[in-house]
């Protein structure tokens, strides 16, 4: 799973197609969508038009909590909209009605076994809810996608995922961050990068998947240009301290 992906929440219509095209053009190989975003068709169109082989792109989509009980139909609809015959990752978008729902998880595992999703996981789950899924089915989610950023850093949550072998994927890496924070500004200036790039690189240093959302071509490119510099352990730790 590439550590950097394009988030597409709130990207709609032509601008969604263009954002995903732009991202694939500048080297992203990971796109995150969801049934709830209403843009799977646009994401699929961009993937098809990009000329990048399907197998080279990591595509994630998500089951809306209200579609619990209609997993098969929902995934079939996602595949149809995306124009693909499998997704790389399929997530339960939110715990349905706030509950872990091992029965829903069981059906995701069945559809994975049929090859329609290479991997399955959850989003917005607590570690306790993840443990409930494992206790009931013997299977842990590959990924938990939760809101994450330096401002939300919680070492116990990170360590809890790591100990279980569940990949932590962070959404909204920039939204909750004060990009004018002096610590960020100083590190950015020293490195000759932007504060947003420092935030995204901080995720990479922690091996946390980040999916910044942008529909702006310059910012899409900026957010991907984080693999030619590093942060020192001391810098990472400085950003960890909220
Ligand atoms: P835009 O789409 O106009 O680029 P998040 O992924 O954390 O939810 O953040 C998304 C928000 O941050 C969007 O409003 C997006 O606006 C903005 N954004 C994305 N990339 C950057 C960047 N490199 N610098 C500043 N703002 C950004």
């Amino acid at each position: 799973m590439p550590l950097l992906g394009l988030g597409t929440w709130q990207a709609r219509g032509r601008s969604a197609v263009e954002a995903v095209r732009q991202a694939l053009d500048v080297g992203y190989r990971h796109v995150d969508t969801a049934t709830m975003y209403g843009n799977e068709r646009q994401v699929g169109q961009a993937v098809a038009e990009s000329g990048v082989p399907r197998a080279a792109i990591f595509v994630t989509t998500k089951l809306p909590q209200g579609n619990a009980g209609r997993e098969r139909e929902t995934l079939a609809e996602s595949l149809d909209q995306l124009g693909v015959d499998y997704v790389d990752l399929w997530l339960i978008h939110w715990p349905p009605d706030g509950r872990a729902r091992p029965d829903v998880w069981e059906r995701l595992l069945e559809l994975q076994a049929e090859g329609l999703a290479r991997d399955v996981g959850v989003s917005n789950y607590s570690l306790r809810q993840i443990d409930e899924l494992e206790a009931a089915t013997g299977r842990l989610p590959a990924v938990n996608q939760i809101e994450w950023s330096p401002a939300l850093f919680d070492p116990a949550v990170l360590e809890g995922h790591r100990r279980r072998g569940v990949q932590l994927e962070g959404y909204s890496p920039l939204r909750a961050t004060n990009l004018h924070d002096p610590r960020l500004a100083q590190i950015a200036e020293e490195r000759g990068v932007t504060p947003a790039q420092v935030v995204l690189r901080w995720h990479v240093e922690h091996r946390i998947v980040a999916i910044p959302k942008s529909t702006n071509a310059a910012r899409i490119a900026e957010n991907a240009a984080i693999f030619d510099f590093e942060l020192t352990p001391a810098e990472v730790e400085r950003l960890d301290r909220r």
Side-chain angles (χ1 to χ4, degrees), residues 172-176 179 196 211-216 219 222-223:
S172 286
L174 303 173
R175 197 175 291 266
L179 293 176
I211 47 168
K213 176 255 160 186
S214 182
T215 49
N216 172 281
R219 286 191 287 276
E222 175 186 331
N223 294 345

Side-chain angles (χ1 to χ4, degrees), residues 37-124:
Y37 300 168
N39 61 17
E40 288 174 312
R41 185 169 296 284
Q42 286 73 26
V43 170
Q45 184 186 333
V47 166
E49 288 174 1
S50 69
V52 180
R54 160 69 187 101
I57 308 174
F58 191 99
V59 179
T60 300
T61 193
K62 313 184 193 83
L63 172 82
Q65 55 168 322
N67 287 29
R70 285 184 285 128
E71 294 80 9
R72 183 174 295 278
E73 298 87 318
T74 304
L75 184 54
E77 176 73 13
S78 286
L79 296 175
D80 180 59
Q81 296 270 321
L82 287 162
V84 296
D85 41 22
Y86 67 90
V87 290
D88 296 276
L89 182 63
W90 193 38
L91 306 177
I92 305 175
H93 204 147
W94 290 88
D97 300 319
R99 292 185 295 134
R101 293 291 299 268
D103 57 319
V104 174
W105 177 234
E106 192 81 63
R107 288 190 286 271
L108 264 74
L109 291 168
E110 278 165 28
L111 292 160
Q112 179 193 17
E114 291 177 30
L116 301 177
R118 290 273 158 91
D119 255 310
V120 286
V122 295
S123 182
N124 299 299

Side-chain angles (χ1 to χ4, degrees), residues 26-41:
V26 299
Y28 288 70
R29 291 294 177 267
H30 171 188
V31 183
D32 181 270
T33 180
T35 295
M36 291 239 297
Y37 300 168
N39 61 17
E40 288 174 312
R41 185 169 296 284

Side-chain angles (χ1 to χ4, degrees), residues 14 16-26 45-47 49-50:
R14 191 67 226 162
V17 179
E18 278 162 16
V20 177
R21 274 300 302 274
Q22 172 71 20
L24 293 170
D25 283 352
V26 299
Q45 184 186 333
V47 166
E49 288 174 1
S50 69

